[in-house]
Amino acid sequence: MRERKRLESLVADDEQLVRRTGDIETYFELAREDEDVLADLEREVKALGAFGEELEARTMLGGEADPLNAIVTVHPGAGGTESQDWAEMLLRMYLRWAEQQGFKTEMNDYQDGEEAGIKSATFTIMGEYAFGQLAGESGVHRLVRISPFDSAKRRHTSFASVYVSPEIDETIHVDIKPEDLRVDTYRSGGKGGQHVNTTDSAVRMTHIPTGIVVQCQNERSQHKNRDKAMKMMRSRLYEYELEKKQAASKKLEDTKLDINFGSQIRSYVLQPYRMAKDHRTKVEVGDVDKVLDGYLEPFLKGYLLAKRRGTANGAGPADDLDV
């Protein structure tokens, strides 16, 4: 059914492309006799160009894992409360994006910050091509603003990392040997109710050969948390093996080695001016509040197009952002 839906969408796009192209040809014929039609012609050509870019971006979503759900993890960088608050802002941004796309979300692990924000959060976005669209979001994200936690109202720079992996379904096999896993249980902290906080229901799972660690504590039972942790581990290992096979391209993990200055993939500036800029694709959006409220389409599409053309550079310095 999923493949049928995908093919029906391709046919509909093709029909729309043919119809729009035909409309423009008609406008050209009319413009030879009436110059007043030129404004309509220009508008239609621009609209067709935007539609063509959208179709081009979709052709990038042909990878084996692209149609799958996405597991997103957000971690604050150094900086205590500032970075933890920024991590929570990023968490809200992706949840809002998912909501606007009509996707469902499920929180797997959530750890409150000491004073504000979060220490970490892992959640699943469930929707068609969720991973394919969000894969380029992995990396370090930087925020520049007047700190609400600084009584002197000074400008602060905060960092947080985002990691996106596909939720592996039954169609993709990932072999995990039991002896390669270490499973630790512990008492959950923070939200969750009396039962969650008084029993060893939380699960931390470590894949010893690779050092990959996942944890889940949001379910009431240890069994459910273990099942979710295993699903997350399969996804992380799939992504790990995929990166090893794609040695010719820049590995996804390289963009988040250090959660500090110089390694960011995108900056969100609230002071002294307002702008969100992706340092790999040079895509800029002036309405940064709209971006933080989930408007990610320009960045997602820009990354897919740049990746197709081979111009999606890795993370780098802040370019011309004088902050």
Side-chain angles (χ1 to χ4, degrees), residues 58-279:
R58 287 186 205 172
T59 62
M60 285 301 302
L61 300 177
E64 183 181 32
D66 284 348
L68 303 178
N69 298 335
I71 298 177
V72 184
T73 299
V74 182
H75 282 294
T81 302
E82 284 286 343
S83 294
Q84 290 175 10
D85 186 56
W86 170 224
E88 186 174 41
M89 292 170 65
L90 281 175
L91 171 63
R92 178 186 179 276
M93 181 181 77
Y94 289 113
L95 292 176
R96 288 285 293 138
W97 176 82
E99 179 184 344
Q100 292 164 16
Q101 303 303 309
F103 294 161
K104 294 181 180 179
T105 59
E106 183 178 74
M107 193 64 63
N108 301 321
D109 182 61
Y110 184 99
Q111 298 184 41
D112 284 306
E114 296 174 358
E115 297 180 23
I118 59 173
K119 289 183 178 179
S120 71
T122 299
F123 59 100
T124 302
I125 298 179
M126 293 165 281
E128 195 167 5
Y129 289 95
F131 173 72
Q133 294 184 70
L134 289 178
E137 291 298 291
S138 289
V140 177
H141 297 244
R142 183 181 69 149
L143 173 70
V144 181
R145 64 172 175 176
I146 299 296
S147 171
F149 307 102
D150 187 342
S151 58
K153 301 298 179 183
R154 290 171 295 189
R155 195 166 62 205
H156 285 247
T157 300
S158 306
F159 300 91
S161 71
V162 174
Y163 185 79
V164 184
S165 59
E167 183 184 54
I168 303 304
D169 62 14
E170 293 76 12
T171 63
I172 299 177
H173 178 69
V174 177
D175 184 29
I176 303 178
K177 299 177 181 178
E179 60 268 25
D180 288 342
L181 287 181
R182 185 177 72 243
V183 180
D184 302 308
T185 59
Y186 59 98
R187 194 164 294 180
S188 299
K191 304 172 185 178
Q194 183 177 0
H195 177 78
V196 169
N197 295 325
T198 57
T199 62
D200 290 342
S201 60
V203 173
R204 180 183 296 109
M205 192 172 290
T206 305
H207 186 252
I208 298 172
T210 62
I212 293 175
V213 179
V214 299
Q215 58 188 34
C216 186
Q217 63 170 339
N218 275 41
E219 296 293 339
R220 290 172 58 86
S221 75
Q222 183 186 121
H223 179 71
K224 289 183 178 179
N225 281 327
R226 186 186 291 261
D227 286 345
K228 281 193 174 182
M230 178 58 78
K231 185 177 290 188
M232 292 160 61
M233 179 61 74
R234 291 177 69 234
S235 298
R236 290 291 299 273
L237 285 174
Y238 172 82
E239 188 71 8
Y240 176 83
E241 291 299 326
L242 193 63
E243 289 173 0
K244 285 173 60 177
K245 293 178 182 179
Q246 296 174 334
S249 62
K250 189 170 180 63
K251 292 183 180 180
L252 194 60
E253 195 71 16
D254 286 346
T255 64
K256 54 185 285 293
L257 290 176
D258 298 307
I259 312 178
N260 55 28
F261 185 84
S263 61
Q264 65 275 351
I265 64 168
R266 188 176 304 145
S267 290
Y268 308 74
V269 182
L270 303 181
Q271 185 70 26
Y273 53 89
R274 304 181 73 81
M275 178 189 296
K277 178 175 181 178
D278 194 295
H279 303 301

Side-chain angles (χ1 to χ4, degrees), residues 24 27-28 30-32 34-47:
I24 288 178
Y27 273 116
F28 268 113
L30 293 174
R32 292 190 181 97
D34 185 359
E35 292 186 357
D36 293 337
V37 180
L38 289 176
D40 294 330
L41 173 59
E42 183 179 6
R43 184 182 66 250
E44 289 297 321
V45 169
K46 288 182 178 179

